[in-house]
Amino acid sequence: MKTILRYPFYAYLFFFLGGALSGSISGKAQDKISPRLDVAYYQTDSAVRYLSLKVRQRVQKRFEPIAGAVVNVFLELPDETVKIGNVVSNAKGEGKILIGAKVLAAMHRLDEYSFYAEIPETDSLEEVTEYLVIKPSRLTLKTDDLDKSISVYLEAKTNGNWNPVEGAEVAVFIQRRFGKILVGESSMTDENGAVELAFDTKIPGDANGLLTLESAVEDHDEIGNVYATITTRWGLPMVASDQFMRRTLWGTRDRTPLWLLIFPNAMIAGVWGVIIYLIVLVFKMIRLSHKAT
Amino acid sequence: MIQEKLYEDLLPRKFGRPGKIWVTVLVAICVVAAIAYYRQLKYGLSVTAMRDYMSWGIYISNFVFFVAISLVGSLISAILQLTQVRWSTPLTRIAEMIAVSAIIFAALIIIVDMGRPDRFMNVLIYGRIQSPILWDVIVITTYLALGLLFLYIALLPDLAIIIRQKGKVEAWVYRIAKILGSFWKGTPEQWKLQKSSIKILTLTIIPVALAIHTVTSWLFALTYRAGWDSTNFGAYFVSGAFLVGAAAVVVAMYVFRKFYSLQDYITDAHFNNMGKLVVMLALLYLYFNLNEYMVPAFKMKKPEEQHLRALFTGDFAPLFWIVIIMGMIVPIIVMLFPAGRKPLPMFLTGILIVVGAWLKRFLIVMPTLLHPFLPMSNVPDSYQHYFPTWEEWAITAGSLSGALLLVTLFARIFPIIPIEETIKERRKEELASLNQEYNELDETKQIIKPTPHQAYK
């Protein structure tokens, strides 16, 4: 250090080159974003399987979405890797990819699904790869109309056998048009992979009182997100109060409320009756003039 | 002799030079309006500045103004006559002429506002009684019919006078009078029918007149919009209408008095009385304005706040305060003093009130439409403001000129002051003074008091 200070020229050169070099390195690092990729697995009892992806970047202490990132998604089989497809992240940095029938058929033979997703290197993004290993599972939802009880069973496949999953958090919801209502509280599955719930909610269903119940295991480390639904007759039949064809202000012309027909029309008829009477009086005056002549 | 002078003074006369210039200017404005309307018919309502948000422009504010002014017919002809206010007799014809002209142009301006006027009949064919628009159509038609009947039936004795005074009016005026009123012989039966007709009309026209402006106010108040969502609207509109109508009569009184030399018939006393009436109506209207703005301003609900701020301190503030101060407060102050109730100050303040009333209707329609509940987004800049195009100004000016032209033509063809009624009132006055003289003489026992019939003869 003393030597450097003794030779100011070299010192300047050292700092200049050092600064320039570090600047160019940090400049490169700033140009390319190192994205964070999250992959989640979703499965419903209607044989729909899909992967949800989230592409984000860290800006200061927050995560900001990255839009337009292309993500390739694969499933690893014992002897090959199958491409499920690719997805482009939307403005929220999110994307969803459905698993096609061919891949699904291959998945049935597996004891474990190994997905991986990659964002290839581009001018703006660094390459990133994310792995996701999921155990095959099945969620069964049953109801008993006698005592209005709900039973949920969760099983996972291990070494070709279906075994109950213990200690998984299961919630049961009532599906509504714009959201879901939780039934009771979410519970942990017992050693049989079961959860029992009583349904004691009075809630409107459709016109026939039908309600759709949904059981869900969400964000589980081994099985991902699994859903099952069942339709029951436990809702109160909903009678739609459609007044349109009745005698309302909004009704069609022939459905005008009676009071609105009677009173204004009576008033109109009354006033126009007076007008007609006055015109008759004018004609009477005309007739009187003939008499006078 | 008195009768002859009355005929000479009150029978329709040829226009002088100012009258001819006046008519020419009005016709010229109407021609420009016709050109503008042709363009509107050809290119549609896109020639106006009305867009998605501002779907009601000056056409509708002008319509409300016309409806308001038409109410004066019922005020002067019906309410004052019914309450035995005799001084208003010379003003009845002027009020009725203004009322009929205004209501005709109110109906026309609504059709002008329609993008497809050829579909007007659909309102009648497919109209639903639930719709306030249909109520308005019905009530305007009814009021027009009553107004025309009122004007016509009251005019019958004067038409007979025109026919009798054949040489004193132009041939075409005589012919019109003959077509309309040759059957009037003045027989006692005819008089009886005429009087009962007028009585029925007087009683009928008052509720219809109140209905016409209440229904117009409901066109606004039955919607859930800031500035219109008010239970005060009916009374607020009716009081404003009486004020502008009375002011319009004051202006017309001054003009007719000046150009037809009617100082003996429309006297300073008439202006004085009208001044008192206008002050009362202006105070009433100010009271309703206070209600209309202070109550929501005290609560300041969010959507109302935007609207009120635009009026009190925002874009519309200059116009708003001009209307309140020049259209209400200044006239009240001026007319409170006897000197302010002289013809010229009355005329000037009358003009202030009428102009203020027109601007007031503009302020009722525009600010509310420019402040919808959901913020305007993703719309062109022209959608967010409203300034009428030349076509709208021309058509509006044309409608106002048309109404004035109609009043002018009425005055050219028919007596502005009811001749027959004036003769009767003059005779009554003479009889009263004769009676007074006889009474004084009777006290001294110098003469035998005649019967009223003898005195009348």
Side-chain angles (χ1 to χ4, degrees):
Chain A
M1 193 67 187
K2 270 185 180 177
T3 321
I4 289 171
L5 290 174
R6 210 174 285 166
Y7 299 98
F9 171 75
Y10 295 107
Y12 289 142
L13 191 68
F14 174 77
F15 284 116
F16 174 73
L17 285 175
L21 202 62
S22 69
S24 69
I25 291 166
S26 64
K28 254 190 180 176
Q30 276 173 357
D31 284 344
K32 285 213 174 185
I33 298 164
S34 175
R36 180 190 161 133
L37 178 61
D38 294 306
V39 186
Y41 172 76
Y42 286 81
Q43 164 184 323
T44 69
D45 56 359
S46 58
V48 173
R49 311 273 192 276
Y50 66 90
L51 292 164
S52 169
L53 303 130
K54 232 179 227 180
V55 188
R56 294 176 292 174
Q57 61 170 320
R58 201 178 175 87
V59 179
Q60 290 165 351
K61 288 182 179 176
R62 290 183 298 123
F63 281 107
E64 296 284 342
I66 299 175
V70 179
V71 186
N72 298 314
V73 186
F74 303 91
L75 173 70
E76 283 183 344
L77 297 174
D79 45 359
E80 60 172 330
T81 300
V82 184
K83 186 174 182 182
I84 298 172
N86 59 32
V87 62
V88 181
S89 62
N90 63 16
K92 291 179 180 172
E94 294 170 357
K96 193 196 268 188
I97 186 160
L98 281 170
I99 301 170
K102 269 188 184 176
V103 181
L104 271 180
M107 281 167 68
H108 282 309
R109 298 192 297 271
L110 301 173
D111 279 352
E112 202 172 68
Y113 311 142
S114 296
F115 300 103
Y116 81 89
E118 62 156 24
I119 298 175
E121 187 177 358
T122 64
D123 293 343
S124 57
L125 298 174
E126 286 179 8
E127 185 183 340
V128 66
T129 308
E130 184 70 22
Y131 292 90
L132 179 70
V133 179
I134 292 290
K135 267 188 179 179
S137 63
R138 58 187 186 199
L139 187 66
T140 315
L141 178 60
K142 288 180 181 171
T143 53
D144 188 343
D145 287 340
L146 284 176
D147 59 353
K148 282 194 177 177
S149 64
I150 304 165
S151 310
V152 187
Y153 301 97
L154 179 62
E155 295 165 297
K157 200 175 182 183
T158 318
N159 300 323
N161 299 315
W162 290 100
N163 299 313
V165 179
E166 190 184 350
E169 190 179 6
V170 176
V172 178
F173 301 96
I174 304 164
Q175 282 187 350
R176 310 305 283 173
R177 190 184 293 271
F178 298 110
K180 298 189 282 192
I181 299 172
L182 185 65
V183 179
E185 285 177 3
S186 57
S187 320
M188 296 295 180
T189 51
D190 59 14
E191 67 274 15
N192 299 318
V195 163
E196 297 282 336
L197 274 171
F199 185 90
D200 53 3
T201 314
K202 282 186 179 172
I203 193 165
D206 67 2
N208 300 314
L210 293 176
L211 281 180
T212 303
L213 301 178
E214 178 191 275
S215 62
V217 176
E218 289 177 321
D219 291 333
H220 193 278
D221 292 340
E222 290 181 345
I223 61 173
N225 301 277
V226 188
Y227 300 90
T229 54
I230 193 166
T231 304
T232 66
R233 283 191 178 273
W234 296 350
L236 304 172
M238 180 74 185
V239 181
S241 59
D242 181 7
Q243 299 286 311
F244 190 75
M245 292 307 286
R246 308 255 173 94
R247 289 198 178 277
T248 61
L249 283 174
W250 295 268
T252 48
R253 200 153 62 122
D254 58 329
R255 297 281 180 177
T256 308
L258 286 172
W259 61 267
L260 196 56
L261 278 178
I262 294 163
F263 293 110
N265 282 317
M267 283 195 287
I268 294 163
V271 175
W272 277 93
V274 170
I275 291 171
I276 291 164
Y277 175 66
L278 288 166
I279 294 168
V280 169
L281 287 186
V282 171
F283 278 102
K284 267 189 180 173
M285 286 184 224
I286 295 171
R287 256 208 318 273
L288 283 170
S289 82
H290 296 317
K291 275 186 190 171
T293 355
Chain B
M1 192 63 189
I2 292 168
Q3 209 160 298
E4 286 304 310
K5 187 176 174 350
L6 277 169
Y7 291 159
E8 202 168 300
D9 289 347
L10 302 180
L11 278 172
R13 271 176 270 167
K14 275 185 185 173
F15 286 137
R17 197 179 153 83
K20 282 175 186 162
I21 294 170
W22 169 248
V23 171
T24 312
V25 170
L26 292 180
V27 170
I29 296 171
C30 288
V31 169
V32 177
I35 294 165
Y37 188 55
Y38 166 74
R39 279 179 54 77
Q40 187 179 302
L41 282 179
K42 192 174 176 186
Y43 300 111
L45 282 176
S46 64
V47 301
T48 70
M50 289 187 277
R51 295 292 181 265
D52 286 28
Y53 293 99
M54 269 304 306
S55 50
W56 284 356
I58 47 170
Y59 293 156
I60 295 295
S61 55
N62 201 33
F63 160 74
V64 180
F65 174 77
F66 275 132
V67 175
I69 235 171
S70 74
L71 238 66
V72 74
S74 72
L75 173 72
I76 306 280
S77 312
I79 299 174
L80 293 186
Q81 291 294 306
L82 208 63
T83 47
Q84 309 283 323
V85 180
R86 289 286 164 229
W87 61 263
S88 66
T89 305
L91 314 179
T92 51
R93 183 78 35 86
I94 295 174
E96 284 157 20
M97 288 193 306
I98 292 173
V100 168
S101 308
I103 202 68
I104 288 172
F105 276 87
L108 287 177
I109 203 76
I110 275 290
I111 297 170
V112 166
D113 189 55
M114 294 174 71
R116 292 287 303 268
D118 51 307
R119 293 181 179 171
F120 174 74
M121 287 308 287
N122 288 356
V123 176
L124 305 178
I125 299 167
Y126 304 110
R128 303 185 322 147
I129 195 77
Q130 294 104 310
S131 165
I133 299 282
L134 195 70
W135 308 346
D136 214 37
V137 171
I138 291 167
V139 85
I140 285 177
T141 324
T142 310
Y143 189 65
L144 179 59
L146 283 170
L148 282 171
L149 274 173
F150 210 138
L151 189 61
Y152 178 59
I153 293 174
L155 197 64
L156 284 173
D158 287 358
L159 290 174
I161 290 171
I162 294 175
I163 294 166
R164 283 205 301 275
Q165 304 297 316
K166 189 180 174 184
K168 290 182 181 168
V169 293
E170 290 82 17
W172 64 274
V173 174
Y174 167 78
R175 272 199 295 277
I176 291 173
K178 201 151 170 56
I179 293 165
L180 293 174
S182 61
F183 64 87
W184 181 262
K185 305 292 176 203
T187 63
E189 291 90 350
Q190 280 186 328
W191 272 113
K192 200 179 159 191
L193 287 177
Q194 197 249 13
K195 276 184 180 169
S196 75
S197 303
I198 296 282
K199 209 170 192 175
I200 294 167
L201 272 165
T202 309
L203 290 170
T204 318
I205 210 162
I206 296 170
V208 175
L210 293 180
I212 188 175
H213 216 40
T214 308
V215 167
T216 307
S217 81
W218 286 351
L219 292 180
F220 299 92
L222 294 180
T223 62
Y224 185 59
R225 297 292 298 259
W228 294 349
D229 179 25
S230 160
T231 51
N232 189 33
F233 248 45
Y236 169 57
F237 267 51
V238 169
S239 64
F242 279 148
L243 173 64
V244 60
V249 168
V250 167
V251 174
M253 276 164 65
Y254 183 84
V255 173
F256 285 129
R257 175 180 137 119
K258 189 169 173 63
F259 290 99
Y260 280 81
S261 306
L262 298 173
Q263 284 80 355
D264 288 347
Y265 306 92
I266 304 173
T267 61
D268 283 11
H270 287 107
F271 280 95
N272 187 44
N273 289 334
M274 278 303 286
K276 289 174 186 169
L277 186 68
V278 170
V279 169
M280 191 268 286
L281 293 170
L283 282 167
L284 189 70
Y285 191 43
L286 197 63
Y287 163 76
F288 278 112
N289 270 275
L290 196 69
N291 268 288
E292 192 51 40
Y293 295 113
M294 205 210 74
V295 174
F298 189 83
K299 292 178 282 189
M300 273 297 184
K301 287 185 276 183
K302 210 67 195 168
E304 295 278 355
E305 185 185 348
Q306 278 191 343
H307 171 251
L308 290 172
R309 285 199 193 284
L311 288 177
F312 295 164
T313 52
D315 295 347
F316 295 99
L319 219 54
F320 178 79
W321 292 112
I322 284 174
V323 168
I324 297 287
I325 295 167
M326 304 304 282
M328 280 170 244
I329 295 171
V330 169
I332 291 170
I333 295 168
V334 170
M335 293 187 192
L336 266 179
F337 300 98
R341 295 197 293 271
K342 295 280 177 211
L344 186 62
M346 283 283 290
F347 169 68
L348 296 175
T349 41
I351 287 176
L352 275 185
I353 293 172
V354 173
V355 174
W358 194 91
L359 295 173
K360 175 77 179 159
R361 272 71 193 167
F362 186 84
L363 285 174
I364 289 171
V365 179
M366 313 305 148
T368 292
L369 287 174
L370 287 174
H371 292 99
F373 280 112
L374 294 175
M376 295 182 198
S377 58
N378 298 324
V379 290
D381 190 50
S382 64
Y383 282 42
Q384 302 182 29
H385 310 282
Y386 175 74
F387 191 80
T389 58
W390 79 263
E391 284 92 348
E392 285 173 275
W393 284 120
I395 291 170
T396 305
S399 67
L400 292 165
S401 303
L404 289 171
L405 197 61
L406 211 54
V407 173
T408 312
L409 286 178
F410 269 130
R412 175 68 187 86
I413 301 168
F414 306 115
I416 312 158
I417 290 173
I419 304 175
E420 187 70 38
E421 272 188 76
T422 311
I423 291 170
K424 276 185 186 171
E425 289 204 349
R426 291 276 158 110
R427 279 178 180 167
K428 272 183 196 167
E429 282 165 21
E430 272 178 44
L431 181 62
S433 69
L434 270 175
N435 263 336
Q436 202 177 345
E437 276 176 37
Y438 284 133
N439 281 337
E440 284 165 10
L441 289 170
D442 192 29
E443 278 168 18
T444 55
K445 306 283 179 194
Q446 286 179 351
I447 195 162
I448 299 162
K449 189 180 169 184
T451 62
H453 183 69
Q454 285 168 325
Y456 186 80
K457 276 196 163 180

